[in-house]
Amino acid sequence: MSSIKDNKMLKKILNRSWTVGAAYNNLRGQGHGAIYCLFPIFDKLYPNPEDHDKKVEAIKRHEVFYNITPQVNTVGLGLFAALEEKIAIDDSFDKKTVNAIKTAIQGPASGIGDALFQVTIKLIAASIGLSFAQNGSPIGGILFFLIFNLCSYFSRKYLLKFSYNAGEKIVAAASESGVLKMLTGAASIIGLFMVGAMVANSVKLNIGLSWEAAGGVIAVQSFFDSIMPQFLPFVVTLLVTYAIRKKVNANLIMILIIVISIGGKAVGLF
Protein backbone atom coordinates (compact mmCIF):
# COMPACT_ATOMS: atom_id res chain seq x y z
CA MET A 1 0.00 0.00 0.00
CA SER A 2 1.65 3.24 -1.10
CA SER A 3 1.74 6.34 1.11
CA ILE A 4 -0.31 9.41 0.30
CA LYS A 5 2.24 11.74 1.85
CA ASP A 6 3.22 13.65 -1.26
CA ASN A 7 2.73 17.22 -2.38
CA LYS A 8 0.66 16.28 -5.42
CA MET A 9 -1.91 14.47 -3.31
CA LEU A 10 -2.12 17.28 -0.76
CA LYS A 11 -2.45 19.77 -3.61
CA LYS A 12 -5.45 17.83 -4.95
CA ILE A 13 -7.08 17.99 -1.53
CA LEU A 14 -6.32 21.69 -1.30
CA ASN A 15 -7.83 22.44 -4.71
CA ARG A 16 -10.95 20.43 -3.94
CA SER A 17 -11.36 22.05 -0.52
CA TRP A 18 -12.76 25.17 -2.22
CA THR A 19 -15.85 23.16 -3.17
CA VAL A 20 -16.47 21.54 0.24
CA GLY A 21 -19.74 23.46 0.70
CA ALA A 22 -21.03 23.03 -2.87
CA ALA A 23 -23.28 20.08 -1.95
CA TYR A 24 -24.32 21.41 1.45
CA ASN A 25 -27.58 20.04 2.82
CA ASN A 26 -29.33 20.00 6.19
CA LEU A 27 -28.84 16.28 6.71
CA ARG A 28 -25.09 15.94 6.18
CA GLY A 29 -23.87 19.54 5.98
CA GLN A 30 -20.54 19.50 4.12
CA GLY A 31 -20.34 15.70 4.36
CA HIS A 32 -20.61 15.03 0.63
CA GLY A 33 -18.20 17.87 -0.11
CA ALA A 34 -15.67 16.31 2.27
CA ILE A 35 -16.02 12.98 0.47
CA TYR A 36 -15.31 14.73 -2.84
CA CYS A 37 -12.21 16.35 -1.31
CA LEU A 38 -10.96 13.01 0.03
CA PHE A 39 -11.81 10.95 -3.03
CA PRO A 40 -8.27 11.12 -4.50
CA ILE A 41 -7.05 9.58 -1.25
CA PHE A 42 -9.46 6.68 -1.59
CA ASP A 43 -8.27 6.15 -5.17
CA LYS A 44 -4.67 6.21 -4.01
CA LEU A 45 -5.14 3.89 -1.04
CA TYR A 46 -7.42 1.41 -2.81
CA PRO A 47 -6.27 1.32 -6.47
CA ASN A 48 -6.98 -2.36 -7.19
CA PRO A 49 -10.33 -3.98 -8.09
CA GLU A 50 -10.03 -6.33 -5.10
CA ASP A 51 -9.94 -3.25 -2.82
CA HIS A 52 -13.37 -2.09 -4.05
CA ASP A 53 -15.25 -3.08 -0.88
CA LYS A 54 -12.73 -1.32 1.36
CA LYS A 55 -12.97 1.79 -0.80
CA VAL A 56 -16.76 1.82 -0.58
CA GLU A 57 -16.53 1.34 3.19
CA ALA A 58 -14.14 4.30 3.46
CA ILE A 59 -16.49 6.51 1.44
CA LYS A 60 -19.52 5.51 3.49
CA ARG A 61 -17.57 6.23 6.67
CA HIS A 62 -17.72 9.93 5.80
CA GLU A 63 -21.44 10.02 4.95
CA VAL A 64 -22.17 11.76 8.25
CA PHE A 65 -22.83 15.34 9.24
CA TYR A 66 -19.75 17.54 8.90
CA ASN A 67 -19.57 21.31 9.03
CA ILE A 68 -16.52 23.52 9.55
CA THR A 69 -15.95 27.12 8.45
CA PRO A 70 -14.94 26.66 4.77
CA GLN A 71 -11.79 28.78 5.09
CA VAL A 72 -10.35 26.44 7.76
CA ASN A 73 -11.96 23.17 6.66
CA THR A 74 -8.60 21.66 5.67
CA VAL A 75 -7.74 21.24 9.36
CA GLY A 76 -10.27 18.43 9.30
CA LEU A 77 -9.38 17.09 5.86
CA GLY A 78 -5.73 16.69 6.82
CA LEU A 79 -6.61 14.75 9.96
CA PHE A 80 -9.03 12.51 8.06
CA ALA A 81 -6.35 11.82 5.45
CA ALA A 82 -3.91 10.67 8.14
CA LEU A 83 -6.57 8.53 9.79
CA GLU A 84 -7.67 6.94 6.52
CA GLU A 85 -4.07 6.07 5.71
CA LYS A 86 -3.73 4.41 9.12
CA ILE A 87 -6.93 2.42 8.56
CA ALA A 88 -5.69 1.28 5.13
CA ILE A 89 -2.45 -0.16 6.51
CA ASP A 90 -3.67 -1.41 9.89
CA ASP A 91 -6.75 -3.63 9.99
CA SER A 92 -6.83 -3.51 13.80
CA PHE A 93 -7.20 0.28 13.88
CA ASP A 94 -10.53 1.42 15.37
CA LYS A 95 -12.47 2.93 12.47
CA LYS A 96 -14.86 4.73 14.83
CA THR A 97 -12.00 7.09 15.66
CA VAL A 98 -12.56 9.01 12.41
CA ASN A 99 -16.08 10.19 13.17
CA ALA A 100 -15.41 10.60 16.89
CA ILE A 101 -12.64 13.10 16.10
CA LYS A 102 -14.76 14.63 13.32
CA THR A 103 -17.56 15.37 15.79
CA ALA A 104 -15.17 16.76 18.39
CA ILE A 105 -13.28 19.23 16.17
CA GLN A 106 -16.23 20.82 14.35
CA GLY A 107 -17.27 23.20 17.12
CA PRO A 108 -13.83 24.51 18.14
CA ALA A 109 -12.59 24.79 14.54
CA SER A 110 -15.73 26.60 13.42
CA GLY A 111 -15.63 28.93 16.42
CA ILE A 112 -12.09 30.02 15.58
CA GLY A 113 -12.74 30.06 11.84
CA ASP A 114 -15.89 32.17 12.09
CA ALA A 115 -14.25 34.68 14.42
CA LEU A 116 -11.15 34.93 12.24
CA PHE A 117 -12.66 34.97 8.74
CA GLN A 118 -16.34 35.86 8.95
CA VAL A 119 -15.68 38.73 11.34
CA THR A 120 -12.06 39.91 11.53
CA ILE A 121 -10.59 39.33 8.05
CA LYS A 122 -13.86 40.05 6.25
CA LEU A 123 -14.22 43.32 8.16
CA ILE A 124 -10.63 44.37 7.42
CA ALA A 125 -10.98 43.48 3.73
CA ALA A 126 -14.30 45.33 3.50
CA SER A 127 -12.86 48.41 5.22
CA ILE A 128 -9.97 48.58 2.78
CA GLY A 129 -12.20 47.96 -0.21
CA LEU A 130 -14.83 50.50 0.86
CA SER A 131 -12.32 53.33 0.94
CA PHE A 132 -11.92 52.86 -2.84
CA ALA A 133 -15.52 51.86 -3.60
CA GLN A 134 -16.92 55.04 -2.02
CA ASN A 135 -15.11 57.00 -4.71
CA GLY A 136 -16.62 54.82 -7.42
CA SER A 137 -13.49 52.80 -8.06
CA PRO A 138 -13.89 49.10 -8.99
CA ILE A 139 -10.57 48.49 -7.24
CA GLY A 140 -12.53 48.36 -3.96
CA GLY A 141 -14.37 45.19 -4.90
CA ILE A 142 -11.23 43.65 -6.38
CA LEU A 143 -9.23 44.36 -3.21
CA PHE A 144 -11.93 42.87 -1.00
CA PHE A 145 -12.00 39.71 -3.13
CA LEU A 146 -8.20 39.37 -3.22
CA ILE A 147 -7.55 40.07 0.47
CA PHE A 148 -10.23 37.69 1.74
CA ASN A 149 -9.43 34.84 -0.65
CA LEU A 150 -5.64 35.12 -0.36
CA CYS A 151 -5.98 34.81 3.41
CA SER A 152 -8.27 31.84 2.82
CA TYR A 153 -5.79 30.21 0.44
CA PHE A 154 -2.82 30.43 2.81
CA SER A 155 -4.97 29.31 5.73
CA ARG A 156 -6.19 26.26 3.83
CA LYS A 157 -2.70 25.39 2.58
CA TYR A 158 -0.97 25.70 5.96
CA LEU A 159 -3.70 23.96 7.96
CA LEU A 160 -3.80 21.04 5.50
CA LYS A 161 -0.06 20.33 5.79
CA PHE A 162 -0.02 20.96 9.53
CA SER A 163 -3.05 18.79 10.36
CA TYR A 164 -1.93 15.93 8.10
CA ASN A 165 1.62 15.84 9.47
CA ALA A 166 0.45 16.32 13.06
CA GLY A 167 -2.33 13.79 12.62
CA GLU A 168 0.06 11.20 11.24
CA LYS A 169 2.41 11.58 14.23
CA ILE A 170 -0.39 11.66 16.78
CA VAL A 171 -2.08 8.58 15.35
CA ALA A 172 1.18 6.62 15.22
CA ALA A 173 2.22 7.54 18.78
CA ALA A 174 -1.25 7.16 20.27
CA SER A 175 -1.81 3.77 18.63
CA GLU A 176 1.42 2.38 20.04
CA SER A 177 0.78 3.69 23.56
CA GLY A 178 -2.92 2.85 23.73
CA VAL A 179 -3.80 6.50 24.23
CA LEU A 180 -5.81 6.59 21.00
CA LYS A 181 -8.61 4.53 22.53
CA MET A 182 -8.88 7.03 25.39
CA LEU A 183 -8.77 9.96 22.96
CA THR A 184 -11.55 8.39 20.90
CA GLY A 185 -13.70 8.01 24.01
CA ALA A 186 -12.99 11.59 25.08
CA ALA A 187 -13.78 12.90 21.60
CA SER A 188 -17.06 11.00 21.61
CA ILE A 189 -18.03 12.51 24.96
CA ILE A 190 -17.18 16.03 23.76
CA GLY A 191 -19.21 15.40 20.63
CA LEU A 192 -22.22 14.32 22.69
CA PHE A 193 -21.93 17.46 24.84
CA MET A 194 -21.85 19.59 21.69
CA VAL A 195 -24.91 17.88 20.22
CA GLY A 196 -26.78 18.25 23.50
CA ALA A 197 -25.95 21.94 23.71
CA MET A 198 -26.98 22.44 20.09
CA VAL A 199 -30.36 20.77 20.72
CA ALA A 200 -31.01 22.87 23.83
CA ASN A 201 -30.17 26.12 22.03
CA SER A 202 -31.48 25.47 18.52
CA VAL A 203 -34.61 23.29 18.85
CA LYS A 204 -37.57 25.28 20.17
CA LEU A 205 -40.85 23.69 21.27
CA ASN A 206 -43.26 25.00 23.90
CA ILE A 207 -46.81 23.83 24.61
CA GLY A 208 -49.18 26.81 24.70
CA LEU A 209 -52.11 25.06 26.43
CA SER A 210 -53.13 26.30 29.89
CA TRP A 211 -56.18 26.55 32.14
CA GLU A 212 -57.30 28.45 35.21
CA ALA A 213 -57.48 26.67 38.54
CA ALA A 214 -57.60 27.83 42.16
CA GLY A 215 -57.32 31.45 41.12
CA GLY A 216 -54.22 30.91 39.03
CA VAL A 217 -53.13 29.75 35.59
CA ILE A 218 -51.65 26.31 35.10
CA ALA A 219 -49.53 25.91 31.97
CA VAL A 220 -48.98 22.48 30.45
CA GLN A 221 -45.42 23.51 29.60
CA SER A 222 -44.61 23.79 33.33
CA PHE A 223 -45.17 20.04 33.73
CA PHE A 224 -42.58 19.25 31.08
CA ASP A 225 -40.15 21.83 32.51
CA SER A 226 -40.45 20.14 35.91
CA ILE A 227 -39.35 16.84 34.33
CA MET A 228 -36.32 18.34 32.61
CA PRO A 229 -35.50 21.71 31.01
CA GLN A 230 -35.84 21.50 27.21
CA PHE A 231 -37.53 18.12 27.59
CA LEU A 232 -39.76 18.42 24.51
CA PRO A 233 -36.94 19.51 22.15
CA PHE A 234 -34.98 16.52 23.44
CA VAL A 235 -37.86 14.14 22.68
CA VAL A 236 -38.37 15.62 19.20
CA THR A 237 -34.66 15.25 18.46
CA LEU A 238 -34.74 11.59 19.51
CA LEU A 239 -37.80 10.94 17.32
CA VAL A 240 -36.21 12.60 14.29
CA THR A 241 -32.95 10.68 14.88
CA TYR A 242 -34.90 7.42 15.10
CA ALA A 243 -36.75 8.22 11.87
CA ILE A 244 -33.50 8.99 10.03
CA ARG A 245 -31.95 5.74 11.23
CA LYS A 246 -35.02 3.94 9.91
CA LYS A 247 -34.24 5.46 6.49
CA VAL A 248 -37.21 7.83 6.49
CA ASN A 249 -36.65 10.52 3.85
CA ALA A 250 -35.19 13.65 5.48
CA ASN A 251 -37.26 15.97 3.24
CA LEU A 252 -40.43 14.20 4.37
CA ILE A 253 -39.42 14.67 8.00
CA MET A 254 -38.88 18.41 7.46
CA ILE A 255 -42.23 18.77 5.66
CA LEU A 256 -44.02 16.97 8.51
CA ILE A 257 -42.34 19.23 11.09
CA ILE A 258 -43.41 22.33 9.15
CA VAL A 259 -47.00 21.10 8.75
CA ILE A 260 -47.32 20.10 12.41
CA SER A 261 -45.78 23.40 13.53
CA ILE A 262 -48.16 25.52 11.44
CA GLY A 263 -51.17 23.40 12.37
CA GLY A 264 -50.28 23.37 16.07
CA LYS A 265 -49.81 27.13 16.13
CA ALA A 266 -53.15 27.65 14.34
CA VAL A 267 -55.10 25.66 16.96
CA GLY A 268 -53.18 27.10 19.91
CA LEU A 269 -51.21 23.95 20.75
CA PHE A 270 -47.84 25.69 20.40
Side-chain angles (χ1 to χ4, degrees), residues 79 82-83 86 93 101 166-176 180:
L79 283 172
L83 290 168
K86 181 65 176 177
F93 187 78
I101 293 178
E168 186 181 49
K169 294 174 183 177
I170 291 172
V171 169
S175 297
E176 293 175 2
L180 187 61

Side-chain angles (χ1 to χ4, degrees), residues 68-175:
I68 291 182
T69 305
Q71 291 76 24
V72 298
N73 74 83
T74 51
V75 70
L77 298 177
L79 283 172
F80 307 151
L83 290 168
E84 287 296 338
E85 185 179 41
K86 181 65 176 177
I87 290 172
I89 62 177
D90 185 359
D91 291 334
S92 65
F93 187 78
D94 187 1
K95 299 176 178 63
K96 295 180 181 178
T97 302
V98 177
N99 286 326
I101 293 178
K102 181 180 292 187
T103 303
I105 67 170
Q106 291 180 70
S110 294
I112 296 172
D114 287 347
L116 183 61
F117 278 92
Q118 304 304 325
V119 179
T120 307
I121 294 177
K122 182 176 286 186
L123 182 61
I124 293 173
S127 299
I128 296 173
L130 280 173
S131 62
F132 290 90
Q134 285 178 334
N135 296 322
S137 174
I139 294 177
I142 295 172
L143 281 175
F144 173 80
F145 177 84
L146 289 176
I147 293 171
F148 187 81
N149 285 290
L150 280 174
C151 291
S152 176
Y153 171 78
F154 287 112
S155 170
R156 291 169 189 262
K157 185 176 181 179
Y158 171 77
L159 288 175
L160 178 61
K161 289 185 177 180
F162 173 79
S163 62
Y164 175 77
N165 291 329
E168 186 181 49
K169 294 174 183 177
I170 291 172
V171 169
S175 297

